[in-house]
Amino acid sequence: MTPRSASPALSCPADAVFDQLVDELIAQLQAGAAPDRSALALAHPDYVTRLRNMAQTLEALDDLSSADDRALSSVAPLTVAEGPIAGLLGDFRILREVGRGGMGVVYEAEQVSLNRRVALKVLPLAPPWTRGNCSASGTRRARPACCTTPTSCRSTEWGVSGAFTTTPCN
Amino acid sequence: MLRVDTEQLLERVVSGDAAARGELLQRHRSRLRRMVAVRVDPRLAARVDPSDVVQESLAEAAANLDRYLRERPLPFYPWLRQFAQRRLIDLHRRHVKARRRSVTRERGSIGLPDHSALALADRLLARTSSPSLRLRRQERSDRVRAALAALAEADREVLVLRILEGLPTREAAAVLGISEVAVRSRQVRALDRLKVLLGPDFLEGEP
């Protein structure tokens, strides 16, 4: 077995077949059925040990998920509020929120390195329209950067900070 | 099943069935409620009623439903879930960041260990009769929560969406903005890491 990364948690290589099997285990749990470990062992002898470990870990999580709402309170609070609202986002100091829409939030911000005021558009990391590789995302952002009209801002750059994609506009 | 029904309801809404509009939104109420419970900031948990957040989110979604039907930017539930997410962020900004009232003080007044752990203990009490077994289950749940908290956010998110919020792969992919293949891969990686964080004794103790 070759480690997938330096993380001690990753001890197995990527395996699409195994990924699919685990996905099916999760679907079984969501349907309210405990995974049948014996059947899995018979059907997938190559994955017996990994599947057993996965099933045990999943069942531990499922025990937690079967708790009522109060017991689950704040297991994974939204952290998106922390980034831009806390004040600093990468090179930008957030001054105020200008507006928000379905795709993200626009802030008035100060670009610290250039000491200038900008409108900063903050999007969730990897929204649906940026699916694909980073170079494709960059190409899409390059278009507004070279396109200005009286009714649209000019996007001067873009970047990724924490869980956000940022695009400052003049 | 949920997805098929949702698609059927969407078709009925498009064809002008007024009753289907309400049914479409109401059928996801419990999922939204669970999402709010899992996601609410611990400092707000004592003062935010998940039902209110859900109700307001459903009302906002209803007002935007026609636009959704024209554009269909996401599968329905991930789209609906965004309203609750935004509302929670707004609540966080109003109550925590603006510090209109000291939520910190309120949190202290609840007392620690937090109420969620106590509620879980209550639930286990109802389920089992042996004090030692109850204690063991409580310890296991606490360890799962702690291990989840120690995961990197990307890993924790995929597990919370899939296991705690109960989203199918397709919807989790839409929420995360990644492919279904990437969701499958990421959740295996996250489970591997969670297993390590839980420690070998945790799984060895499994029945």
Side-chain angles (χ1 to χ4, degrees), chain A residues 1 17 22 31 35 39 50 55 58 62 64 69 71 73 93-94 97 106 122 128 143 146 152-153 157:
Chain A
M1 297 258 181
V17 174
V22 172
R50 284 193 79 194
L58 277 171
D62 192 53
L64 189 63
D69 285 351
S73 175
R93 186 185 309 281
I94 307 298
E97 183 181 316
V106 177
V122 180
R143 281 189 211 122
C146 57
S152 68
C153 68
E157 58 187 272

Side-chain angles (χ1 to χ4, degrees), chain B residues 92-108:
Chain B
H92 183 276
R93 291 177 62 231
R94 271 190 280 142
H95 292 294
V96 178
K97 292 296 175 189
R99 290 186 173 83
R100 285 185 179 179
R101 290 171 57 197
S102 172
V103 291
T104 309
R105 263 203 320 273
E106 278 190 27
R107 188 190 186 193

Side-chain angles (χ1 to χ4, degrees), chain A residues 9-10 19 23 30 54 65-67 69-80 82 85 97 126, chain B residues 33-34 37-40 42 89 92-93 97 116 123 145 153 162 164 167 169 177 184 187-189 192-193:
Chain A
L10 299 181
D19 292 350
D23 204 52
Q30 288 179 340
M54 282 287 157
S65 80
S66 62
D69 285 351
R70 285 187 66 217
L72 273 178
S73 175
S74 313
V75 164
L78 287 173
T79 55
V80 285
E82 299 292 335
I85 296 161
E97 183 181 316
Chain B
R33 190 185 163 86
R34 171 54 62 103
V38 170
R39 303 295 186 165
V40 70
I89 292 171
H92 183 276
R93 291 177 62 231
K97 292 296 175 189
S116 56
R123 184 172 179 279
R145 283 186 71 126
E153 185 175 349
R162 294 296 326 271
L164 300 184
L167 268 60
T169 312
R184 293 188 192 102
Q187 68 198 7
V188 166
R189 183 186 63 195
D192 271 336
R193 288 177 172 155

Side-chain angles (χ1 to χ4, degrees), chain A residues 67-143:
Chain A
D68 63 25
D69 285 351
R70 285 187 66 217
L72 273 178
S73 175
S74 313
V75 164
L78 287 173
T79 55
V80 285
E82 299 292 335
I85 296 161
L88 271 178
L89 184 63
D91 190 28
F92 302 94
R93 186 185 309 281
I94 307 298
L95 300 175
R96 71 182 179 92
E97 183 181 316
V98 176
R100 63 174 58 214
M103 298 302 291
V105 184
V106 177
Y107 296 93
E108 181 182 349
E110 176 191 359
Q111 189 166 9
V112 177
S113 61
L114 298 178
N115 191 26
R116 64 173 183 170
R117 290 286 178 94
V118 295
L120 186 69
K121 189 171 188 178
V122 180
L123 309 169
L125 187 60
W129 46 270
T130 64
R131 281 178 198 156
N133 58 41
C134 292
S135 61
S137 315
T139 304
R140 289 177 190 187
R141 284 176 180 79
R143 281 189 211 122

